[in-house]
Amino acid sequence: MFPRRILFAAVAISAAASFLLCGYEFIRAVSNSLFIVAYTAENLPRVMVAVSPSLILLLYFYGRLLSWCGATRTLAITSILSGALILGSYFALTKGYRFAAAIIYVFREAYIVVIIEQFWSFVNSTLSSKQAKTINGPFCAIASVGSVIGGLLVGRWATSLGSEIFLVFTAASLIPTAIFGVIAYKFAGEPKPSVAEEGGRRGHLGVKTFFNSKYLVFIGLLILTTQLISTVLDLRFNALVETEITHEDEMTAYYGNFYAGLGAISAVLQLIVVPLALRLISVHIIHIFIPLVHLINGFFLTLRPSLQTGAISYITFKALDYSLFRAGKELFYMPLSYDERYRAKQIIDSFGYRSAKGSSAGVIELIRLFVKTIPGIAFSITAMVASCIWGVIVQNLSSQYQKLATTEKKDE
């Protein structure tokens, strides 16, 4: 079923993702605590607003690299340069430049999506739909091993080593990320654009490709909706953490253990639930089930707001996002062209993913101009409403996917 070179490529790209996510757990826990201590959780929406413009610059750089160097070298270059910027921010923090905490928070939101989406573009370009239903889950699971290890290390060592040193570990993790990514391409071969797509002829960013496809627009709307939920649950969770945990290193340790637990739950879902679900249950039913779960969690968080219910709602969202939703969503891209998989996908899953958080945060800041304090219940109610909208969008999208998948089978 799987040629040996494809299996080796899958193992290599999984290892690359594992190192990437291990380093990301370091910077995620640390950037949260560093920013909250420096600027308070109330100001998180302000720094989230800065993510979108930063990501546009990074995506333009990525698009140019892809046109000039191809997919393999682009992955290596973006990984190594990201490590260099994180290391530079670490030195700035040690010199007492508090603003570096904001830079770290913004960049952590940007670099991770740009690199991880390159991994998924590789997977979607290398595997058939049938192969993906078997491999996508284990790929996510191996990647999650890095998340679990990274979270546990932060939880174990943050109070003794201090928060900032984990930024150095993040930078170091991007070296094996680049190496294993290149190895994966060497085994599977680098996907090539069509003649009409060579050199970014249809646009380096993929904006035109995105807006010319109703199907891609619906995927974009899906991502915007899901990330609205992520944003409000994230803000609610962080506010509850700030209320109950006040010491910086203890907060970092809590975040580390929280994300380690998230990684462990995600790994179980990815390794066991995802392969079975994708093979036995229709994509349509899977995508309807997920927003229903979030609707229920939002309801309980509204009734009984606490750190426990806030953590459950947020960890459930992220665990499903990293496993069942991610693996199912990636199937939507498999019948598409090179530019749709490598360029438009970055517009949707990198820019759309993060800009939704920034836009949501911007709206929250505007509301705060008129209402000094937004009640916590507003966040959970917003999550419930967005879950309903999610269900409507995915109904239409699943129908379009089935038509494309049927056409792809006929062409084969």
Side-chain angles (χ1 to χ4, degrees):
M1 182 180 178
F2 296 101
R4 182 176 296 181
R5 66 179 184 84
I6 295 298
L7 286 176
F8 286 158
V11 171
I13 203 68
S14 297
S18 188
F19 276 105
L20 176 69
L21 293 181
C22 180
Y24 180 63
E25 293 308 325
F26 297 151
I27 196 172
R28 174 159 61 174
V30 169
S31 62
N32 275 345
S33 57
L34 288 176
F35 185 86
I36 289 173
V37 169
Y39 297 102
T40 76
E42 186 178 15
N43 287 306
L44 278 171
R46 295 182 180 180
V47 75
M48 287 179 179
V49 171
V51 172
S52 294
S54 302
L55 191 51
I56 290 174
L57 291 176
L58 189 57
L59 285 177
Y60 181 76
F61 177 67
Y62 160 80
R64 282 289 185 177
L65 278 178
L66 188 63
S67 300
W68 295 336
C69 306
T72 306
R73 292 179 181 178
T74 296
L75 175 58
I77 293 170
T78 51
S79 299
I80 297 302
L81 289 184
S82 293
L85 191 148
I86 292 167
L87 191 61
S89 297
Y90 162 76
F91 285 117
L93 284 170
T94 60
K95 296 294 184 180
Y97 295 101
R98 189 177 68 160
F99 188 71
I103 293 174
I104 284 293
Y105 190 96
V106 171
F107 190 68
R108 86 120 201 252
E109 293 283 294
Y111 92 93
I112 185 65
V113 289
V114 171
I115 297 177
I116 201 70
E117 292 310 327
Q118 290 179 71
F119 292 161
W120 278 111
S121 294
F122 168 81
V123 170
N124 295 339
S125 300
T126 303
L127 304 179
S128 67
S129 295
K130 187 175 182 181
Q131 290 171 334
K133 289 180 179 180
T134 301
I135 284 185
N136 279 8
F139 165 68
C140 292
I142 294 173
S144 288
V145 171
S147 293
V148 174
I149 293 173
L152 289 174
L153 288 174
V154 173
R156 174 67 179 84
W157 296 108
T159 53
S160 57
L161 296 180
S163 298
E164 290 86 351
I165 192 64
F166 285 96
L167 297 176
V168 178
F169 300 156
T170 298
S173 73
L174 287 162
I175 297 173
T177 294
I179 292 171
F180 279 107
V182 171
I183 290 173
Y185 273 108
K186 293 298 181 184
F187 276 119
E190 183 173 316
K192 301 296 182 183
S194 66
V195 174
E197 296 171 318
E198 286 180 349
R201 292 178 182 176
R202 292 181 176 173
H204 298 291
L205 279 173
V207 176
K208 185 183 295 184
T209 300
F210 169 69
F211 282 109
N212 284 341
S213 170
K214 178 183 176 183
Y215 180 70
L216 289 173
V217 169
F218 266 91
I219 298 178
L221 290 173
L222 174 64
I223 295 303
L224 291 176
T225 305
T226 62
Q227 292 315 298
L228 169 59
I229 298 173
S230 179
T231 301
V232 293
L233 291 181
D234 186 358
L235 291 172
R236 184 64 175 133
F237 170 61
N238 280 297
L240 291 167
V241 170
E242 183 184 32
T243 300
E244 298 197 22
I245 306 173
T246 56
H247 189 269
E248 176 185 314
D249 292 335
E250 289 178 2
M251 191 182 294
T252 297
Y254 175 82
Y255 280 123
N257 289 324
F258 175 85
Y259 289 119
L262 168 59
I265 294 170
S266 299
V268 172
L269 291 173
Q270 292 155 355
L271 198 59
I272 299 173
V273 176
V274 171
L276 290 175
L278 290 180
R279 294 174 69 180
L280 301 177
I281 304 173
S282 73
V283 174
H284 175 74
I285 293 175
I286 289 172
H287 280 292
I288 289 296
F289 167 77
I290 297 171
L292 179 61
V293 171
H294 300 321
L295 177 63
I296 294 170
N297 277 337
F299 177 73
F300 281 109
L301 179 58
T302 301
L303 286 183
R304 295 183 177 276
S306 67
L307 180 56
Q308 182 180 16
T309 54
I312 289 172
S313 295
Y314 189 51
I315 204 169
T316 300
F317 178 89
K318 300 303 286 187
L320 288 174
D321 188 49
Y322 293 160
S323 58
L324 197 57
F325 176 71
R326 163 65 86 169
K329 175 181 67 69
E330 291 304 321
L331 294 176
F332 291 154
Y333 290 101
M334 303 202 74
L336 305 180
S337 70
Y338 180 92
D339 269 10
E340 288 170 326
R341 283 183 269 110
Y342 273 91
R343 298 185 194 275
K345 180 174 174 32
Q346 287 283 1
I347 294 292
I348 297 169
D349 290 332
S350 293
F351 180 72
Y353 192 92
R354 293 311 195 201
S355 67
K357 295 185 73 172
S359 299
S360 302
V363 171
I364 290 170
E365 284 300 299
L366 286 175
I367 293 173
R368 280 182 176 156
L369 293 176
F370 303 97
V371 180
K372 186 175 181 181
T373 301
I374 299 175
I377 194 174
F379 294 103
S380 54
I381 290 175
T382 300
M384 293 171 63
V385 173
S387 295
C388 296
I389 297 172
W390 178 347
V392 174
I393 292 172
V394 86
Q395 284 272 17
N396 185 292
L397 188 57
S398 296
S399 175
Q400 293 185 63
Y401 166 72
Q402 292 296 342
K403 293 177 182 177
L404 282 172
T406 301
T407 302
E408 183 186 30
K409 287 182 180 179
K410 288 179 179 178
D411 292 340
E412 293 176 353

